[in-house]
Amino acid sequence: MSEILDLQAANQPDRGGALSAAFSEAWFRTAIGVMPVIVARRFRLVGYLVSSTLAAHDGVPVVQAMLAAYRGAADAYVYGPVCVAEEARGQGTARAMFDALRAELPGREGVLFIRSDNQASLRAHAKMGVRRAGEFDHGGAHYFVLSYIG
């Protein structure tokens, strides 16, 4: 768990990263107990991808703003956060974790958001077949809501 928290901390905006929220260890433990969390390792943790219920984000304002713009199907889940260590980017890590998650949750809709200025993430997710489902503003930033079926 400490590796996930360390990778999350290293990718917060105040450290040059693009994550939109910081989750506690307790939140991650609850998420892991309910839905799949995919990790990538290359001798050490180089990526993680969380899936969680919509209800798991009741206290997360940016996720609530996303869900107000587009909620998805009745059994939809939140895809993300997804985080890849800088040295593992551009090597298919995010795609491999995405494919593993889809295999875990076939036929279910995943809903996610990406800042509109995060072109690298938007390009990567477009290659994975994720489609735009809406958009919203939160905290002075513009976001796109995206969706896919597992």
Side-chain angles (χ1 to χ4, degrees):
M1 180 61 62
S2 64
E3 290 179 291
I4 289 175
L5 295 172
D6 290 347
L7 186 56
Q8 174 186 243
N11 285 276
Q12 290 299 310
D14 63 346
R15 294 183 69 188
L19 291 177
S20 297
F23 294 98
S24 68
E25 180 176 345
W27 185 90
F28 274 105
R29 288 196 185 284
T30 299
I32 289 167
V34 177
M35 299 275 300
V37 174
I38 309 298
V39 297
R41 290 189 164 282
R42 291 193 188 128
F43 304 108
R44 69 176 190 85
L45 185 85
V46 295
Y48 66 84
L49 167 56
V50 178
S51 66
S52 54
T53 65
L54 302 183
H57 298 275
D58 285 344
V60 183
V62 68
V63 177
Q64 291 306 304
M66 173 192 72
L67 295 174
Y70 180 78
R71 192 162 193 85
D75 68 343
Y77 61 90
V78 175
Y79 161 101
V82 59
C83 186
V84 177
E86 189 172 353
E87 71 271 13
R89 292 180 189 153
Q91 300 172 26
T93 305
R95 177 61 186 248
M97 292 189 301
F98 177 74
D99 290 344
L101 180 62
R102 289 178 79 173
E104 289 284 328
L105 300 169
R108 290 186 60 188
E109 183 178 15
V111 180
L112 61 140
F113 65 90
I114 300 173
R115 278 180 62 127
S116 62
D117 61 354
N118 188 343
Q119 293 302 310
S121 186
L122 289 168
R123 277 191 305 275
H125 284 87
K127 289 178 186 176
M128 293 183 237
V130 176
R131 64 174 179 83
R132 192 178 305 178
E135 52 190 273
F136 67 97
D137 293 306
H138 179 78
H142 188 70
Y143 295 88
F144 296 127
V145 182
L146 301 123
S147 170
Y148 64 90
I149 303 296

